[in-house]
Amino acid sequence: MLNAKSGPRIRHLAPESAPYEALTVDKLTPVIGAELAGIDLSKPLSDRQIDEIHRALMENLVIFFRDQTLTAEQHLAFGRLFGDLHLHPAAPHEKGLPELMTIYADKDSPRANGEGWHSDVSCDEEPPMGSILYIRTCPPRGGDTLFASMYAAYEALSDRMKRYLEGLTAIHDGEDAYRGTYANYGVADRPAYPRAEHPVIRTHPVTGKKALYVNRGFTTRIVGVPRDESTAILNYLWDHAENPLFQCRFRWQENSIAFWDNRCVQHRAMWDYWPHTRSGHRVTVAGDRPV
Ligand code: SIN
């Protein structure tokens, strides 16, 4: 029987990684997150560097770079190395650059981006593959971002729960998440926001691994089960997904970059730095329909 004395909740064994030649990779935890060094993203990157950045992302789910000095165009060009860029359905962007999302909170802000656990724009039919956040202005302390592995969340479910969830789908709805949310930036609401049905357990198109794919930010109900059952199961899964065992926490400095894989990661930004300012930009790489 499984109880508190049955050993660790997850037995995560990271597969042996081939050596990196074009950069260095320093893991934050055994489960998720790595800081990459020895690379200047403002310079043209070789095929090997691009391959190794992609491999580090696949192996670590979220990767971090320090001390990068990028123009808006260089930030966008870095994103395009990994796919077409995604247009956010609601958030403000820099003038004339619709793919460059503005991240900004100061003492007068009514809200800050990403304050609850979510996977970016999971309400889209084809949610973004990855997000590349570049923070230029940091508060003296605070404003960390937490990232959680949804592979680990899936692995740590009981076999009975995995069997129950297999084949289920859930609705992800942008309506509550986005309506009125960006009014303080002068963004007018659209008549409607995206809504999509996705598998509760998705299979990553590159790694072939299964990941839990429901999040508090967008998922509203599981399809084909009574409403009360859906609510109870979603509440369990959200609590489960937020277990600190599956997380890393990134402490920003000015000119840091985080690049996360939305297909297997949820994240949450801490707004604990009032009255200070935190700001930067996000470039988001388009993705596929989850299967
Ligand atoms: C986001 O959800 O993209 C914002 C994350 C952050 O500001 O750390």
Side-chain angles (χ1 to χ4, degrees):
M1 188 169 88
L2 280 176
N3 58 36
K5 295 182 182 140
S6 304
R9 184 67 199 264
I10 52 165
R11 293 171 189 265
H12 176 81
L13 276 181
E16 206 50 46
S17 173
Y20 285 86
E21 290 172 19
L23 40 82
T24 61
V25 176
D26 186 15
K27 282 182 183 289
L28 266 71
T29 79
V31 173
I32 180 170
E35 199 163 312
L36 274 52
I39 193 153
D40 179 349
L41 302 181
S42 70
K43 301 258 163 58
L45 300 180
S46 66
D47 288 349
R48 181 181 290 277
Q49 285 173 315
I50 298 165
D51 285 352
E52 291 198 356
I53 291 170
H54 185 256
R55 177 155 70 87
L57 181 65
M58 294 305 101
E59 290 178 356
N60 297 287
L61 293 55
V62 53
I63 53 179
F64 307 104
F65 304 86
R66 299 279 188 194
D67 301 320
Q68 301 291 326
T69 311
L70 299 187
T71 63
E73 283 308 333
Q74 286 168 333
H75 187 184
L76 290 161
F78 180 61
R80 284 194 193 100
L81 295 174
F82 303 94
D84 292 338
L85 299 186
H86 171 270
L87 290 179
H88 198 281
H93 57 76
E94 291 306 309
K95 199 161 177 241
L97 297 172
E99 294 145 327
L100 196 67
M101 179 175 156
T102 309
I103 301 284
Y104 184 89
D106 68 14
K107 67 177 182 8
D108 299 318
S109 299
R111 63 176 294 281
N113 282 85
E115 266 194 279
W117 283 103
H118 66 289
S119 171
D120 287 327
V121 203
S122 69
C123 55
D124 265 0
E125 290 286 343
E126 296 187 342
M129 164 277 206
S131 303
I132 304 168
L133 178 60
Y134 181 27
I135 292 292
R136 293 169 195 273
T137 306
C138 276
R141 275 167 296 283
D144 297 357
T145 308
L146 280 64
F147 297 90
S149 164
M150 292 302 106
Y151 293 146
Y154 173 75
E155 284 165 23
L157 292 170
S158 71
D159 289 342
R160 279 181 185 275
M161 183 55 84
K162 285 178 185 161
R163 283 199 294 278
Y164 172 81
L165 297 176
E166 203 59 54
L168 286 179
T169 58
I171 302 298
H172 296 237
D173 199 335
E175 190 61 33
D176 270 1
Y178 294 141
R179 186 155 304 279
T181 297
Y182 298 104
N184 62 308
Y185 290 102
V187 177
D189 271 319
R190 291 183 172 200
Y193 288 106
R195 182 175 184 273
E197 185 173 336
H198 297 309
V200 171
I201 306 298
R202 70 179 292 182
T203 303
H204 194 287
V206 177
T207 65
K209 289 163 71 172
K210 289 185 178 182
L212 183 61
Y213 197 64
V214 290
N215 66 82
R216 265 189 219 278
F218 294 103
T219 315
T220 52
R221 69 181 170 86
I222 297 177
V223 177
V225 302
R227 174 69 73 169
D228 53 348
E229 182 174 326
S230 163
T231 302
I233 295 288
L234 283 177
N235 277 317
Y236 167 71
L237 293 175
W238 291 333
D239 287 350
H240 171 77
E242 294 163 13
N243 188 326
L245 272 174
F246 316 142
Q247 298 174 13
C248 70
R249 179 171 180 137
F250 185 60
R251 185 166 190 190
W252 294 92
Q253 294 161 352
E254 285 179 8
N255 298 325
S256 301
I257 291 177
F259 184 179
W260 60 90
D261 184 338
N262 283 299
R263 299 167 296 188
C264 54
V265 171
Q266 290 189 31
H267 60 284
R268 179 191 166 154
M270 302 303 291
W271 193 17
D272 54 358
Y273 48 87
W274 187 92
H276 297 285
T277 299
R278 177 180 182 273
S279 71
H281 292 106
R282 194 179 92 191
V283 167
T284 311
V285 183
D288 303 328
R289 173 181 272 278
V291 288

